[in-house]
Amino acid sequence: MFSSVAHLARANPFNAPQLQLVYDGPRSGPAGPPGPPRRSRNLAAAAVEEQYSCDYGSGRFFILCGLGGIISCGTTHTALVPLDLVKCRMQVDPQKYKGIFNGFSVTLKEDGVRGLAKGWAPTFIGYSMQGLCKFGFYEVFKVLYSNMLGEENAYLWRTSLYLAASASAEFFADIALAPMEAAKVRIQTQPGYANTLRDAAPKMYKEEGLKAFYKGVAPLWMRQIPYTMMKFACFERTVEALYKFVVPKPRSECSKAEQLVVTFVAGYIAGVFCAIVSHPADSVVSVLNKEKGSSATQVLQRLGFKGVWKGLFARIIMIGTLTALQWFIYDSVKVYFRLPRPPPPEMPESLKKKLGLTQ
């Protein structure tokens, strides 16, 4: 699959203007033909200095993007386990855990500091697998769909392209996440059930078979697909807006550190919206994985409109920070491995001519 996508990416209309900055640098030497005209000396210098380790859309590119997803999702979700634990407990037992600060207080009193780390192992494994599929497949589907649309339509419908690519990637990511998410919620929300993944997994399988690990996949799709669509589409368009309206110089003239700051800010903005759109489904998943024999519809009816919004403030803090850090780490991995990082898309020249925007 990667080889066919790589072949398409070399002629990818959505990314063609972006790749020019990589491979069309001015040629040196007396015998070499002159390179294409440049917009500025800074842009020319950046093109010369930038040497990527692989082609955009190549198999190596997709694999390293998947690795970036593992690092960004696995580490950030694991680091926020204490906040996630309190959030889950607020959702499944709001009478006992009345708020985020009360939740921490009660947890510390009953379980001590070590109790705040419950569920770290399934969190790390599950979200590492999810990150691999989420970020790796997003890049794959973005290339595939942009080639299907063509250069002009890919630009005009770029928000829809981001939404479709991220939804497709998340479909597979949640299948990878579901078993570990189910074990995590059992460990965190059922006192005395199990303290580790090694205890929880065999017990769950003995009680309910494979169903115990995958009964939450449909609610996960309900939660994660809207979340991921918002995460990627909002991030991409926010980055575009920041460089257009806020950053006082073109992206090509920004240092790597400055570009990563923009990435972090855009990630946090996207994270706030992600938390809001996906929170009701997150509440259903937490309760569903705690209880035996319940369906998503039954849980939703029992919680009601007010109940599904319990723990939203904690989740906004968690997801905002999480999303910002994930994008920052993911982009940093791309910088470290010298992967192509295309700038925000620009209107194709052919479309400018059609719209009468060229002189």
Side-chain angles (χ1 to χ4, degrees):
M1 181 179 183
F2 284 159
S3 61
S4 62
V5 173
H7 173 73
L8 288 171
R10 280 189 279 272
N12 180 10
F14 188 64
N15 293 288
Q18 302 163 345
L19 293 178
Q20 288 177 359
L21 300 182
V22 180
Y23 303 109
D24 293 342
R27 300 159 177 85
S28 58
R38 296 292 164 189
R39 283 179 288 177
S40 68
R41 291 183 179 179
N42 286 332
L43 186 56
V48 172
E49 292 171 5
E50 196 74 83
Q51 293 185 1
Y52 295 133
S53 63
C54 61
D55 292 341
Y56 180 84
S58 64
R60 176 181 168 84
F61 174 80
F62 292 132
I63 289 169
L64 290 176
C65 284
L67 176 61
I70 290 174
I71 296 170
S72 66
C73 291
T75 56
T76 52
H77 277 277
T78 304
L80 291 176
V81 161
L83 184 59
D84 182 49
L85 179 142
V86 171
K87 183 266 302 177
C88 287
R89 290 183 172 183
M90 287 168 59
Q91 290 171 328
V92 301
D93 194 354
Q95 300 301 319
K96 183 176 181 180
Y97 303 93
K98 302 182 186 300
I100 184 170
F101 297 111
N102 175 260
F104 272 105
S105 177
V106 172
T107 300
L108 285 169
K109 190 178 295 183
E110 292 183 349
D111 302 327
V113 175
R114 289 187 65 182
L116 291 173
K118 275 189 175 182
W120 75 267
T123 297
F124 178 75
I125 296 169
Y127 283 95
S128 293
M129 295 304 295
Q130 188 210 37
L132 168 67
C133 298
K134 184 197 296 277
F135 283 94
F137 285 168
Y138 173 71
E139 301 287 359
V140 171
F141 284 117
K142 190 165 71 167
V143 170
L144 284 174
Y145 295 160
S146 63
N147 277 282
M148 290 168 61
L149 288 171
E151 182 181 21
E152 293 179 3
N153 286 330
Y155 176 80
L156 292 172
W157 296 91
R158 60 193 183 282
T159 302
S160 298
L161 188 151
Y162 302 144
L163 292 169
S166 56
S168 301
E170 189 60 36
F171 177 85
F172 296 101
D174 290 341
I175 295 173
L177 169 64
M180 293 296 103
E181 178 73 2
K184 174 187 79 77
V185 173
R186 290 284 182 97
I187 293 168
Q188 291 181 338
T189 63
Q190 288 188 247
Y193 184 84
N195 289 321
T196 66
L197 177 61
R198 285 177 297 179
D199 295 333
K203 194 171 182 179
M204 291 169 65
Y205 183 77
K206 184 178 180 180
E207 291 175 351
E208 300 181 66
L210 286 175
K211 181 184 175 183
F213 299 100
Y214 287 100
K215 71 176 185 178
V217 72
L220 265 179
W221 283 328
M222 291 166 52
R223 179 187 82 182
Q224 291 296 131
I225 289 179
Y227 163 86
T228 302
M229 291 170 72
M230 182 66 72
K231 175 178 182 173
F232 282 86
C234 185
F235 171 80
E236 298 268 22
R237 293 310 299 261
T238 301
V239 167
E240 190 177 332
L242 287 174
Y243 280 115
K244 187 174 182 179
F245 300 110
V246 179
V247 180
K249 55 185 176 181
R251 180 183 184 272
S252 58
E253 296 178 14
C254 294
S255 66
K256 291 289 192 299
E258 290 170 335
Q259 291 176 16
L260 290 173
V261 169
V262 173
T263 295
F264 184 86
V265 172
Y268 211 104
I269 293 170
V272 172
F273 288 100
C274 288
I276 295 169
V277 301
S278 62
H279 189 73
D282 182 65
S283 297
V284 173
V285 170
S286 295
V287 176
L288 189 65
N289 282 323
K290 178 191 175 186
E291 299 179 354
K292 297 178 186 178
S294 296
S295 68
T297 304
Q298 291 170 335
V299 171
L300 188 59
Q301 290 175 343
R302 189 164 67 253
L303 288 175
F305 179 80
K306 187 177 180 181
V308 298
W309 294 105
K310 286 283 186 182
L312 177 61
F313 178 67
R315 194 155 192 269
I316 285 176
I317 296 173
M318 173 182 155
I319 297 300
T321 306
L322 196 72
T323 306
L325 287 173
Q326 284 178 359
W327 277 114
F328 182 84
I329 293 169
Y330 179 65
D331 222 18
S332 298
V333 170
K334 282 187 168 182
V335 170
Y336 178 80
F337 287 110
R338 295 183 292 110
L339 300 183
R341 297 164 57 244
E346 297 181 359
M347 183 179 293
E349 290 298 323
S350 60
L351 187 57
K352 289 181 181 179
K353 291 177 181 178
K354 287 182 180 180
L355 299 175
L357 299 177
T358 55
Q359 296 294 330

